[in-house]
Amino acid sequence: MTDPESKKNNHLPPNLVANLQNVLAGRRAGGGNGDGGKVDSKPAAEEDPRVPSSSSAPAADAAAAAAADGSKKPVVLVTNADGIGSPGLTFLVEALVREGQSDVHVCAPDSDKSVSGHSITLRQTVAATSADIKGATAFEISGSPADCVSLALSGALFSWSKPTLVISGINKGSNCGHHAFYSGAVAGAREALVCGVPSLVISLNWKKDKSQESDFKDAVDVCLPLINAAIGDIEKGTFPRNCLLNIEIPTAPSANQGFKLTRQSLWRYTSSWQAVSANRHPATGQFMSMQQSLGIQLAQLGRDASAAPAAIGAQKKIVEIESVAAAGKSEQREVLKKYFRLEFLEKEQEAMDDDFDFRALEEGFVTVTPLYLELQVEPEIQALASDWFAAVLKGVEEAPEADV
């Protein structure tokens, strides 16, 4: 991993680093899961006595609440962004049920909400329909991933309101860098963190023409040790607090290079807006009216380019009739409506440090990146903003009053 000084500069809690390294190293010593048990070989960080304990009080409360509800096993809530029928969620739930160490509940979108951001549904009805998943209690939701988690934790859907752990995944496509802001998968885990419940988001770095559905099964085998370690540490009150863990599985899960604690990079795809013909996409005119969620709705990341209509610069002219009350007459005017579709394009990898998520993932590591609710501002940026704001206020105060 990184040396202690770089950890300090990266704002990663030393006890979080030590916790992950010790857990993964222990599984390596015990045999692990083949290559999935490898761990980055650099020395673990010493726990700094000046750093507050990372144990999570809400997490301990969750375990106690599960016991109070009469459950002998910790409750694990699984959600995702790809939809309840996706292979990543299916393989993950099957593995959790098969292990029998947790009481598995599922609350996931009824359709693909991959790039929905942290959108929530207001002033509209959300439907929850029971789903048949062997060994689990499951509902499919007509909302976003954040809706799914919010509803599940409300106490209105399940008999409990605070599970031991929330897992969002396994999702198709990486959520490295800036894509964590767009990601519905990350939003599901973030919503749990907002509600005080520990959470993980797990994604497979899916690549067209390379990846196949069976890779999700291999990805489950790789991440199960981390999931089991998280559940155990939550029950003991030693799981890191105030952050969620973004776990990224490389394209070839069974050939991974080991686990690596990383930082969130600034990497992102290049956005490309393409004009499309209205008659090639007849539902476009009703798209906005059909949306029940607030937030960003973008084209699905990783969707095959062939699935999108060809970029045709066609435009549709619509004639609207407007009533002009003052003149008592009707007036006609032409409105030009254009249609566009957003696609994300691959771009060349930029030079970045070894401990950034995107680079480590491309090098074949299973990356573990803490994501925080608090946005940390560098002191230099805070100082620049303070100087600018002070200058603006001074200018406003010194400006002569406008003539009345």
Side-chain angles (χ1 to χ4, degrees), residues 15 45 53 64 108 110 124 147 154 157 159 195-196 228 244 262 275 278 328 335 341 363 367 372 390 401:
N15 43 358
S53 171
D110 58 7
Q124 297 286 343
D147 283 330
S154 70
L157 184 62
S159 59
C195 297
N228 292 332
L244 65 92
T262 52
V335 176
R341 182 182 292 275
E363 291 176 348
T367 65
Y372 304 88
E401 294 184 2

Side-chain angles (χ1 to χ4, degrees), residues 6-179:
S6 67
K7 293 188 190 78
K8 180 179 178 181
N9 293 337
N10 297 344
H11 307 291
L12 297 178
N15 43 358
L16 169 57
V17 177
N19 181 55
L20 286 172
Q21 288 179 320
N22 291 338
V23 166
L24 295 173
R27 272 152 183 75
R28 183 183 183 187
N33 285 303
D35 290 338
K38 293 183 291 186
V39 64
D40 197 12
S41 58
K42 293 187 180 179
E46 295 292 333
E47 178 137 359
D48 189 341
R50 298 170 298 176
V51 179
S53 171
S54 64
S55 60
S56 173
D61 293 342
D69 288 341
S71 173
K72 297 180 180 179
K73 301 177 182 178
V75 174
V76 173
L77 174 67
V78 180
T79 189
N80 74 347
D82 297 336
I84 196 165
S86 65
L89 183 143
T90 300
F91 285 127
L92 176 60
V93 172
E94 286 179 353
L96 292 173
V97 170
R98 185 169 57 250
E99 285 201 331
Q101 298 181 18
S102 57
D103 186 6
V104 183
H105 290 64
V106 178
C107 190
D110 58 7
S111 60
D112 192 346
K113 299 293 192 301
S114 293
V115 197
S116 57
H118 205 122
S119 60
I120 58 173
T121 302
L122 296 175
R123 296 181 291 276
Q124 297 286 343
T125 299
V126 173
T129 306
S130 60
D132 186 15
I133 299 180
K134 186 177 180 180
T137 303
F139 285 88
E140 58 182 49
I141 309 299
S142 63
S144 68
D147 283 330
C148 294
V149 174
S150 178
L151 176 60
L153 302 186
S154 70
L157 184 62
F158 298 113
S159 59
W160 44 263
S161 61
K162 184 158 284 192
T164 302
L165 176 68
V166 172
I167 305 173
S168 180
I170 294 173
N171 295 280
K172 181 180 180 180
S174 166
N175 287 312
C176 288
H178 281 182
H179 283 281

Side-chain angles (χ1 to χ4, degrees), residues 87-88 91 170-172 204 206 213-220:
F91 285 127
I170 294 173
N171 295 280
K172 181 180 180 180
L204 171 64
W206 181 276
E213 190 171 301
S214 61
D215 291 333
F216 285 106
K217 189 172 183 179
D218 294 336
V220 171

